[in-house]
Amino acid sequence: MAKYPKFLMEHFQNPRNVGEIHNPDGVGTVGNASCGDIMQMFIKMNEGKILEAKFKTFGCGAAIATSSILTERIKGRTIEEALKISDETVKEILSHLPKEKIPCFTLAREALKLAIEEYNCKQAGVHEKGGFDSKDLEKE
Ligand code: FES
């Protein structure tokens, strides 16, 4: 069985920023093609900085821990800083994860990118609502 470093285990056991943001400025939803799990990332902006970042996922412990770390790190940052942090965090965490877990972590980064894309589109006035509604997943 794979061993995970302490800081990843801590975020898995006590994940931060789990949930949804009411009336978000950007939402990104992605799926992990290898396992079928889904990740949704929400951002709320204030004066060009990320005020709040939250996530919801059906994913595994690695997806939860890495999303918790990423959402913590991007709060209070500009979009450009958040994207840079996201890339740096991927490099840092990937060195600690077993190869088969790589798609689980990249979920958070890809969902964040889509949330930022939606925010940028809204700012430019070219997109009213993007992403995806988790209610679409519910069965009647
Ligand atoms: Fe599905 Fe990790 S196994 S997100």
Side-chain angles (χ1 to χ4, degrees):
M1 189 161 79
K3 290 248 182 207
Y4 295 97
K6 243 183 179 173
F7 79 99
L8 275 175
M9 285 306 293
E10 205 281 315
H11 275 272
F12 167 60
Q13 287 164 339
N14 302 294
R16 279 69 135 184
N17 309 310
V18 175
E20 217 167 299
I21 294 176
H22 177 69
N23 198 17
D25 292 311
V27 183
T29 305
V30 291
N32 183 343
S34 60
C35 66
D37 288 331
I38 290 170
M39 161 82 61
Q40 211 168 22
M41 182 85 66
F42 305 82
I43 55 170
K44 187 84 180 168
M45 303 295 294
N46 184 37
E47 296 181 3
K49 292 189 175 172
I50 297 174
L51 179 69
E52 214 179 339
K54 288 194 172 197
F55 73 95
K56 287 196 326 191
T57 186
F58 289 110
C60 65
I64 293 168
T66 52
S67 304
S68 171
I69 292 167
L70 186 59
T71 50
E72 279 290 280
R73 290 181 177 179
I74 62 172
K75 277 197 270 181
R77 305 303 187 124
T78 65
I79 294 295
E80 293 72 26
E81 289 169 340
L83 289 170
K84 193 170 174 237
I85 288 167
S86 176
D87 288 342
E88 289 166 357
T89 304
V90 166
K91 279 187 202 142
E92 176 195 344
I93 294 179
L94 288 185
S95 66
H96 296 286
L97 289 175
K99 219 171 152 191
E100 63 272 16
K101 288 292 177 188
I102 290 173
C104 308
F105 177 59
T106 50
L107 276 183
R109 178 177 65 174
E110 297 313 311
L112 174 64
K113 275 186 187 169
L114 289 179
I116 288 173
E117 211 171 277
E118 184 180 73
Y119 166 70
N120 286 336
C121 287
K122 281 180 178 175
Q123 290 297 103
V126 293
H127 185 61
E128 270 307 306
K129 182 178 178 342
F132 156 107
D133 191 333
S134 59
K135 288 183 181 76
D136 295 343
L137 295 173
E138 293 171 11
K139 279 188 175 176
E140 299 274 321

